[in-house]
């Protein structure tokens, strides 16, 4: 058995144990494997082990990988900062974008989504920790953005995403994720996705309602 397959199995077992521990429905938390900085061969190995959802941060790297693999069953998630001059390619290449934080970007993604493809799944990124160096809309501005995005015909608003400030204490991790879960619960729009939790804090995210965890290191190992 390959190392990637073994790590995927361990991560899946941990996710299912967390679902049970925190009263979540079995299978309610999906795994998105973060494949940035990983070669196509490593992604192919994960595909052969049954993994289908992959997250990429950088368009140029992702495009090369997506075209090299040419795997129709793979589901590609863009999880990096969206630049206005790259929305056309992102809208064409990806199945999901998790980092929409401005109406302008959302409109461009909708207008540039190819007609032959289904609506682009999007999550709105919220800056829950108020970090000036981090992308994401302020919680107070979220309702207006939600209202704008749900009207765009080539987008499908799935939920919210956040990347809180790094925290090693479990209860503090939970508090950061609970803020996003509260925003989702208070929205007038029904969401099916909370994109929260990475290799170092996904248990706390699952405890607070995550439906999709973004994990790279625990699957591919530490980057050189």
């Amino acid at each position: 058995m390959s190392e990637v397959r073994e790590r995927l199995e361990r991560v899946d077992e941990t996710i299912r144990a967390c679902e049970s521990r925190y009263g979540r429905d079995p299978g309610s938390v999906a795994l998105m494997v973060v494949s940035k900085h990983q070669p196509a061969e490593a992604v192919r190995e994960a595909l052969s082990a049954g993994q289908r959802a992959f997250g990429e941060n950088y368009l140029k790297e992702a495009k090369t990988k997506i075209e090299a693999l040419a795997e129709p069953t793979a589901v590609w998630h863009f999880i990096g900062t969206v630049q206005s001059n790259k929305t056309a390619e992102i809208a064409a290449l990806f199945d999901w974008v998790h980092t929409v934080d401005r109406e302008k970007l959302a409109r461009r993604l909708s207008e540039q989504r190819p007609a032959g493809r289904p609506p682009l799944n999007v999550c709105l990124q919220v800056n829950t920790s108020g970090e000036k160096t981090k992308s994401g809309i302020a919680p107070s501005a979220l309702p207006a953005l939600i209202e704008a995005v749900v009207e765009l015909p080539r987008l499908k608003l799935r939920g919210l995403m956040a990347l809180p400030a790094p925290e090693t204490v479990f209860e503090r991790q939970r508090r950061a994720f609970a803020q996003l879960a509260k925003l989702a619960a208070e929205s007038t729009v029904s969401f099916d996705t909370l994109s929260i939790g990475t290799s170092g804090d996904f248990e706390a995210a699952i405890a607070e309602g995550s439906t999709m965890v973004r994990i790279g290191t625990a699957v591919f190992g530490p980057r050189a």
Side-chain angles (χ1 to χ4, degrees), residues 82 99-103 105 123-126 135-137 145:
V82 180
T99 47
V100 175
D101 62 1
R102 285 172 285 161
E103 183 179 347
L105 291 178
C123 292
L124 305 182
Q125 183 176 1
V126 185
S135 300
I137 192 167
L145 182 59

Side-chain angles (χ1 to χ4, degrees), residues 32 53 65 75 79 89-90 92 109 136 148 158 183 185 203:
M32 179 222 299
K65 208 174 298 181
V75 180
I79 57 175
E89 286 189 284
I90 291 172
L109 289 168
R158 301 294 297 268
L183 290 171
E203 179 176 351

Side-chain angles (χ1 to χ4, degrees), residues 94-131:
F94 287 86
D95 303 288
W96 287 68
V97 176
H98 289 241
T99 47
V100 175
D101 62 1
R102 285 172 285 161
E103 183 179 347
K104 175 185 175 182
L105 291 178
R107 290 192 178 280
R108 289 177 67 90
L109 289 168
S110 179
E111 291 166 359
Q112 295 168 335
R113 180 67 167 174
R117 300 200 64 188
L120 180 64
N121 298 293
V122 299
C123 292
L124 305 182
Q125 183 176 1
V126 185
N127 189 341
T128 54
S129 52
E131 295 172 272

Side-chain angles (χ1 to χ4, degrees), residues 14-36:
T14 303
I15 290 172
R16 303 312 151 208
C18 288
E19 288 174 340
S20 177
R21 185 176 304 128
Y22 298 106
R24 303 291 303 280
D25 290 338
S28 60
V29 181
L31 169 63
M32 179 222 299
V33 169
V34 178
S35 48
K36 68 174 181 179

Side-chain angles (χ1 to χ4, degrees), residues 38-222:
Q38 297 295 333
E41 292 74 19
V43 179
R44 196 185 308 278
E45 193 174 348
L47 279 163
S48 70
Q51 178 63 30
R52 289 295 174 265
F54 297 92
E56 292 283 338
N57 288 62
Y58 307 108
L59 176 60
K60 184 178 180 180
E61 176 193 343
K63 183 178 180 180
T64 300
K65 208 174 298 181
I66 291 169
E67 292 175 349
L69 289 166
E71 174 50 65
T73 66
V75 180
W76 294 97
H77 299 247
F78 190 80
I79 57 175
T81 300
V82 180
Q83 297 176 325
S84 295
N85 64 344
K86 296 180 179 178
T87 52
E89 286 189 284
I90 291 172
L93 281 172
F94 287 86
D95 303 288
W96 287 68
V97 176
H98 289 241
T99 47
V100 175
D101 62 1
R102 285 172 285 161
E103 183 179 347
K104 175 185 175 182
L105 291 178
R107 290 192 178 280
R108 289 177 67 90
L109 289 168
S110 179
E111 291 166 359
Q112 295 168 335
R113 180 67 167 174
R117 300 200 64 188
L120 180 64
N121 298 293
V122 299
C123 292
L124 305 182
Q125 183 176 1
V126 185
N127 189 341
T128 54
S129 52
E131 295 172 272
K132 293 182 179 180
T133 58
K134 186 169 289 182
S135 300
I137 192 167
S140 60
L142 180 62
L145 182 59
I146 291 172
E147 186 176 343
V149 172
V150 294
E151 297 299 325
L152 297 175
R154 302 294 296 142
L155 301 185
K156 183 175 183 180
L157 180 55
R158 301 294 297 268
L160 305 180
M161 176 271 211
L163 186 63
E167 180 56 70
T168 57
V169 178
F170 183 72
E171 289 305 320
R172 291 177 182 170
Q173 290 175 344
R174 286 194 64 164
R175 284 198 293 271
F177 293 132
Q179 183 181 355
L180 192 74
K182 183 173 184 289
L183 290 171
E186 292 173 347
S187 173
T188 56
V189 175
S190 179
F191 298 132
D192 63 16
T193 303
L194 272 184
S195 174
I196 47 176
T198 59
S199 289
D201 58 16
F202 68 88
E203 179 176 351
I206 293 172
E208 294 300 333
S210 174
T211 64
M212 187 177 295
V213 293
R214 309 183 301 270
I215 296 176
T217 303
V219 172
F220 292 116

